[in-house]
Amino acid sequence: DQYLEPSTVETVSQYACQRRTTMENHNQIFTDAFAILAENAEFNESEGPCLAFMRAASLLKSLPHAISSSKDLEGLPCLGDQTKAVIEDILEYGQCSKVQDVLCDDRYQTIKLFTSVFGVGLKTAEKWYRKGFHSLEEVQADNAIHFTKMQKAGFLYYDDISAAVCKAEAQAIGQIVEETVRLIAPDAIVTLTGGFRRGKECGHDVDFLITTPEMGKEVWLLNRLINRLQNQGILLYYDIVESTFDKTRLPCRKFEAMDHFQKCFAIIKLKKELAAGRVQKDWKAIRVDFVAPPVDNFAFALLGWTGSRQFERDLRRFARHERKMLLDNHALYDKTKKYLKKKTTNNYLALNDVCSDLSEWHYKG
Ligand code: TTP
Ligand code: MN
Ligand code: MN
Ligand code: MN
């Protein structure tokens, strides 16, 4: 029995894509702290620390038990001196002073508030903060600021959009999208992706991949879908980003590789049941993302848009470092051979291959 002992000690992979992903987080007290520190690092454009905190949070989320003493940290990857110090603080005092400092920080609070507006990124938030603003009311009252169409929608639907989207709402949106797409292309493929595909109970938006079985036909989908939603009177905002897909380009090495598919960031008006006797509007504005990849790239687009962001990041890192391949939302490339690796017969099967083991991919010239 003594000899069996070592094999029962699990080794935890440094890659999120090689860890069991669960909806159950036994270490939320720590991961909440890391999320705040990661966000603050992001606001300060400290990429390294930001990534380190996100990695640590992802690792702790995957553990089947709660960390109850610093001894539990032995042998775990992705934890450096900084992250360990945070965990030890929380173990000892129930909270971490560094996190408390961030939460009280004026800049952190204000940048967090400003970037919570749809269409407001870090650069814009900083600009407003430097003007001395601290509330959305102050920002909106400044006549010197020119707001983008996106930001105007962001302010207009702020309360609805900042409230979480629940599963039932995502399903209702899914039904509308599905039915509307069917009217345009009966054989179209509509797939719910993002957090709701991962089984999350709530999210900040609803993500869909839409394509046609016939290559090239997908280019009409988004414009026609938008037209139909507009005619139904439920399209509150949209921004179609045209495809910039260039097959000769090798994938981007950056962590958050943006893809080149045609996509649309929208806000849709979802009818809701009213509680009896209450005076309120009978709809909720919901953020919806549509992506229309060609069917050839569908498997990789689905893999890339399912998330989580950390999972995607680590999947790319795994491909690069452990398999000498490059993975992005379009395809899997062999770094040494520079050929596109792609199965043309069945994209659904291809996706399963990628998920199960990148090494099982056979080279096809
Ligand atoms: P999100 O919708 O931003 O995130 P999410 O669905 O995981 O969580 P939330 O509940 O907050 O909505 O993005 C979904 C996935 O799509 C995410 O893993 C990143 C990926 N993605 C791209 O690959 N390219 C892009 O341009 C964008 C915006 C997202
Ligand atoms: Mn934002
Ligand atoms: Mn999402
Ligand atoms: Mn999204």
Side-chain angles (χ1 to χ4, degrees), residues 194 204-207 265 287-289 305 309:
H204 97 281
D205 68 357
V206 194
D207 307 280
F265 307 108
R287 270 273 301 114
V288 181
D289 286 343
W305 275 82
R309 273 163 206 276

Side-chain angles (χ1 to χ4, degrees), residues 111-122 204:
I111 300 287
K112 188 174 170 68
L113 175 68
F114 291 168
T115 54
S116 75
V117 179
F118 176 54
V120 179
L122 190 52
H204 97 281

Side-chain angles (χ1 to χ4, degrees), residues 213-227:
E214 203 180 324
M215 267 292 280
K217 285 271 171 70
E218 79 284 348
V219 299
W220 309 106
L221 277 177
L222 288 192
N223 284 292
R224 288 182 183 170
L225 172 63
I226 287 306
N227 272 338

Side-chain angles (χ1 to χ4, degrees), residues 194-195 198 200 203-205 207 258-259 304-305 307-309 329:
R198 302 200 301 277
K200 273 175 66 176
H204 97 281
D205 68 357
D207 307 280
M258 290 294 263
D259 60 52
W305 275 82
S308 67
R309 273 163 206 276
N329 285 4

Side-chain angles (χ1 to χ4, degrees), residues 66-83:
I67 298 285
S68 58
S69 82
S70 47
K71 232 184 155 310
D72 294 341
L73 304 178
E74 279 170 26
L76 291 180
C78 310
L79 300 174
D81 291 343
Q82 282 220 41
T83 48

